[in-house]
């Protein structure tokens, strides 16, 4: 993300990223308009993390030139393909509302992200929220009396791809993880699956959570949803 040092090793970032991004988007808009004809859409994939927004996105300014802002509504928590992310504790990756049981202060949620954009003056009709068509998983997860939610773990669960531990497309996850019992957190609107004590725990979206999020989108008069990505439903 612009202005953030949290990317992969070697990624370039600078404190000037925020101003440069604002200028870049304005230049894109200028050049698209210069083409004439029908209005050309200028869209962006934007962060759901308030710290990432503050570091690199001048929302009132960039929103003047963007037609659609696809707010990241997933990857709030994950083990990481190389166990570099959060390998030792499970966590919801796409919850709609904050979870008071989360051990992380000021933790992520879709609603918190949307409110951040609305409070900055961004039109609700420019906002979509991202839905994951994949799950993020951990292994050797303690039950903790909570079916593994926010419990200790021992790294990423085996994934769908050789190079990507801890990640499975939705269909692969549902059909290829034996003994997975699906649970729904009604308070936070989060779906997760657990194979039992010391087993695998997966955070993902299903028809239940996707339906709840669709209702939320309508209630907030948002533009719609985007997904990452179609192959996860195959």
């Amino acid at each position: 993300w612009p202005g953030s040092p949290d990317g992969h090793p070697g990624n370039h970032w600078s404190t000037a990223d925020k101003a440069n991004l604002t200028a870049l988007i304005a230049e894109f808009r200028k050049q698209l308009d210069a083409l004439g004809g029908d209005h050309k859409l200028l869209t962006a994939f934007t962060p759901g993390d308030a710290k990432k927004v503050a570091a690199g996105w001048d929302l009132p300014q960039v929103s003047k030139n963007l037609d659609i802002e696809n707010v990241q509504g997933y990857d709030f928590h994950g083990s990481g393909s190389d166990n570099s992310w959060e390998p030792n504790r499970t966590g919801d990756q796409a919850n709609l509302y904050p979870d008071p049981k989360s051990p992380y202060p000021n933790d992520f949620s879709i609603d918190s992200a949307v409110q951040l954009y609305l409070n900055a003056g961004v039109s609700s009709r420019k906002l979509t929220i991202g839905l994951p068509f994949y799950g993020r998983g951990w292994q050797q997860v303690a039950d903790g009396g909570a079916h593994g939610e926010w419990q200790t773990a021992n790294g990423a669960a085996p994934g769908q791809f050789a190079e990507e531990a801890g990640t499975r497309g939705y269909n692969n996850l549902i059909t290829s993880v034996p003994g997975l019992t699906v649970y729904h957190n009604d308070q936070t609107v989060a779906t997760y699956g657990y194979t039992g004590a010391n087993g695998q725990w997966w955070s993902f979206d299903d028809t239940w959570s996707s339906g709840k999020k669709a209702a939320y989108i309508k209630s907030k008069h948002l533009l719609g949803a985007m997904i990452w990505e179609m192959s996860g439903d195959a």
Side-chain angles (χ1 to χ4, degrees):
W1 293 113
S4 172
D6 297 336
H8 291 291
N11 279 7
H12 173 80
W13 70 278
S14 165
T15 55
D17 283 354
K18 190 171 187 176
N20 289 339
L21 177 65
T22 301
L24 178 66
I25 290 175
E27 181 64 21
F28 281 155
R29 180 74 272 160
K30 177 182 176 182
Q31 293 197 29
L32 286 171
D33 290 346
L35 295 174
D38 294 339
H39 178 76
K40 311 298 191 300
L41 292 179
L42 181 56
T43 73
F45 180 66
T46 62
D49 179 351
K51 292 181 180 178
K52 300 294 191 298
V53 171
W57 295 78
D58 186 339
L59 292 181
Q61 292 302 313
V62 299
S63 297
K64 293 178 181 179
N65 294 307
L66 289 173
D67 296 289
I68 300 174
E69 294 168 57
N70 298 297
V71 183
Q72 185 173 17
Y74 44 79
D75 288 353
F76 297 157
H77 296 286
S79 53
S81 60
D82 57 357
N83 286 327
S84 63
W85 192 356
E86 295 169 343
N88 299 319
R89 185 185 298 277
T90 65
D92 296 321
Q93 74 137 333
N95 46 295
L96 181 56
Y97 297 109
D99 190 343
K101 295 180 181 178
S102 169
Y104 301 95
N106 303 312
D107 205 4
F108 307 112
S109 76
I110 290 171
D111 181 60
S112 298
V114 169
Q115 292 302 322
L116 176 67
Y117 282 74
L118 295 178
N119 292 341
V122 181
S123 169
S124 63
R125 301 302 296 167
K126 288 190 174 186
L127 298 177
T128 76
I129 58 173
L131 308 180
F133 270 20
Y134 63 94
R136 289 196 174 276
W138 291 255
Q139 63 182 341
Q140 297 179 32
V141 176
D143 182 276
H147 306 302
E149 190 175 29
W150 304 115
Q151 301 304 305
T152 57
N154 186 26
Q160 180 178 358
F161 314 102
E163 72 280 7
E164 188 73 18
T167 304
R168 289 180 182 270
Y170 174 77
N171 183 69
N172 177 275
L173 170 59
I174 294 299
T175 60
S176 301
V177 179
L180 188 73
T181 300
V182 177
Y183 299 93
H184 296 130
N185 187 324
D186 293 285
Q187 182 179 13
T188 64
V189 183
T191 297
Y192 57 92
Y194 190 40
T195 63
N198 204 41
Q200 295 183 33
W201 190 92
W202 289 85
S203 175
F204 55 95
D205 267 356
D206 60 1
T207 54
W208 175 83
S209 56
S210 296
K212 295 283 188 181
K213 291 176 182 180
Y216 173 87
I217 288 168
K218 293 179 180 179
S219 72
K220 292 291 185 179
H221 306 290
L222 305 182
L223 182 63
M226 57 84 73
I227 59 169
W228 188 275
E229 37 96 358
M230 284 299 292
S231 69
D233 197 40

